[in-house]
Amino acid sequence: MLKINSSHCQKVQMPFLTQSNIELDIKRDDLIHPVVSGNKWRKLKYLLLDAQEKCCKNLVSMGGNWSNHLHALAFAGKELGFKTTAFVRAHENQRLTPTLEDCRSWGMDLIFTSRVDYAQLRQSFQWNYFSEQFPNSYWISEGGFSELAIMGIEEIGRELDRHYDHIFLGTGSGATLVGVAKACPQSKVTGVAAFSGADYLPGQLEPYLKPQSNWHIDTEHHCGGFAKSNSELESLIDEFHQLNQIELDAVYNGKCLLAIKDAVEHGKVKQGDKVLMIHTGGLQGMR
Ligand SMILES: Cc1ncc(COP(=O)(O)O)c(C=O)c1O
């Protein structure tokens, strides 16, 4: 296995916190590994062990041009002696992003896939169809969403040594939210959707969390859509960096902080509440 560090919770400062007498800690999962950082390792850990136990040789998954998931998978696969293959939502003639350049340099086979094929591949039955072309392979769905990924995420919750009234984290597939909400049933857990139109997500996640109701998806801080940004988000990230020397990516973690600020300013987080934000990594995508 890779050498993974444990992560600590660090108290951070921002004027909007001081004004409301609210304590915010940030769990530094961005520091657990130089490449396979944040929620990436948490989600992959048990999937990789499962693939090893099943003696699969090839890890196959899917993702976009800037996918943190593919980036982590390519590196972890190389380190652990797996072949890796990815269906990528991109055109083969376009210039590779630094993310995909890394993936290829770590030995990942990139299969460029049209938007239509990519959308179909999201349906698991479609992989059953493709799987014959990839013998001895282990399929990992987009973003790693699976029971095993959720199990790995639950370990984040078990590492906390105090109670938090609120926990916030960036959300894509929702696996991280599900794992944290399961592991911290006494906290209110908010997943901040990084993309627009996430209203379908609660219905999709509910079966994994029933009967718990300590969770919620914030659909209002995507800043225009996935990987979209605006000046408010950028200045918040800059200010946070200046005051705390912690980098946040604009795709997930910056939006998460924006949602916390808004929740504080609108009284959804109350004076004296203890709040945790989980830094889910993703800094490679800023290149
Ligand atoms: C840095 C980062 N944070 C958060 C997420 C969202 O995680 P999830 O798909 O488990 O909701 C992702 C995507 O996997 C990510 O790359």
Side-chain angles (χ1 to χ4, degrees):
M1 274 287 156
L2 304 170
K3 166 143 181 25
I4 302 292
N5 304 310
S6 58
S7 85
H8 63 286
C9 291
Q10 176 176 345
K11 186 164 188 241
V12 292
Q13 298 172 18
M14 284 296 273
F16 74 85
L17 297 168
T18 322
Q19 279 152 20
S20 305
N21 186 25
I22 284 166
E23 270 182 45
L24 175 64
D25 286 355
I26 181 159
K27 182 153 171 61
R28 300 294 311 273
D29 263 25
D30 54 316
L31 301 178
I32 63 177
H33 188 274
V35 180
V36 195
S37 79
N39 62 349
K40 298 288 132 331
W41 169 249
R42 307 282 188 175
K43 289 203 269 188
L44 285 176
K45 176 178 167 185
Y46 290 108
L47 289 166
L48 297 176
L49 283 169
D50 193 39
Q52 274 176 337
E53 270 168 28
K54 292 183 169 138
C55 298
C56 294
K57 300 280 179 253
N58 186 8
L59 306 171
V60 189
S61 193
M62 61 192 288
N65 271 317
W66 296 98
S67 170
N68 294 318
H69 164 67
L70 291 185
H71 196 253
L73 183 69
F75 185 85
K78 172 183 76 77
E79 291 291 297
L80 300 174
F82 289 102
K83 178 175 161 37
T84 53
T85 304
F87 291 92
V88 183
R89 189 180 42 200
H91 198 276
E92 63 186 308
N93 294 332
Q94 80 181 55
R95 200 160 161 224
L96 286 188
T97 58
T99 302
L100 294 181
E101 268 175 12
D102 283 351
C103 291
R104 189 172 264 174
S105 75
W106 294 325
M108 182 174 256
D109 269 351
L110 304 177
I111 303 173
F112 296 95
T113 312
S114 70
R115 281 182 180 273
V116 175
D117 288 349
Y118 191 90
Q120 283 185 354
L121 204 56
R122 281 194 168 130
Q123 318 296 322
S124 56
F125 69 86
Q126 204 64 25
W127 167 245
N128 297 338
Y129 168 75
F130 275 113
S131 61
E132 288 178 10
Q133 297 169 36
F134 300 91
N136 213 359
S137 293
Y138 189 88
W139 172 248
I140 299 178
S141 60
E142 193 178 32
F145 194 99
S146 57
E147 294 281 359
L148 289 175
I150 292 167
M151 204 167 111
I153 293 286
E154 284 181 62
E155 291 179 356
I156 298 179
R158 281 192 231 111
E159 286 172 14
L160 303 178
D161 55 11
R162 64 179 286 189
H163 168 72
Y164 289 96
D165 302 293
H166 293 268
I167 302 179
F168 286 77
L169 48 100
T171 290
S173 70
T176 309
L177 168 68
V178 172
V180 172
K182 278 182 151 202
C184 304
Q186 308 303 330
S187 303
K188 286 185 199 144
V189 184
T190 301
V192 181
F195 58 98
S196 56
D199 301 307
Y200 71 91
L201 202 51
Q204 204 164 294
L205 301 182
E206 221 168 58
Y208 294 89
L209 280 161
K210 255 183 184 161
Q212 281 182 236
S213 58
N214 64 320
W215 61 282
H216 150 79
I217 307 267
D218 175 319
T219 57
E220 284 162 22
H221 295 93
H222 52 73
C223 301
F226 189 70
K228 296 269 167 38
S229 184
N230 59 33
S231 53
E232 187 190 6
L233 177 64
E234 278 157 28
S235 45
L236 189 71
I237 290 174
D238 285 349
E239 187 184 11
F240 185 78
H241 185 228
Q242 271 173 27
L243 290 174
N244 301 289
Q245 285 75 52
I246 299 175
E247 280 191 285
L248 301 178
D249 71 301
V251 179
Y252 291 99
N253 292 288
K255 291 176 184 177
C256 183
L257 184 66
L258 195 59
I260 295 174
K261 179 168 182 274
D262 212 34
V264 168
E265 287 171 354
H266 287 88
K268 292 179 190 160
V269 172
K270 306 226 162 19
Q271 211 170 13
D273 277 352
K274 312 275 178 273
V275 185
L276 178 71
M277 170 173 158
I278 296 173
H279 195 318
T280 50
L283 296 169
Q284 70 83 24
M286 287 164 66
R287 292 173 296 169

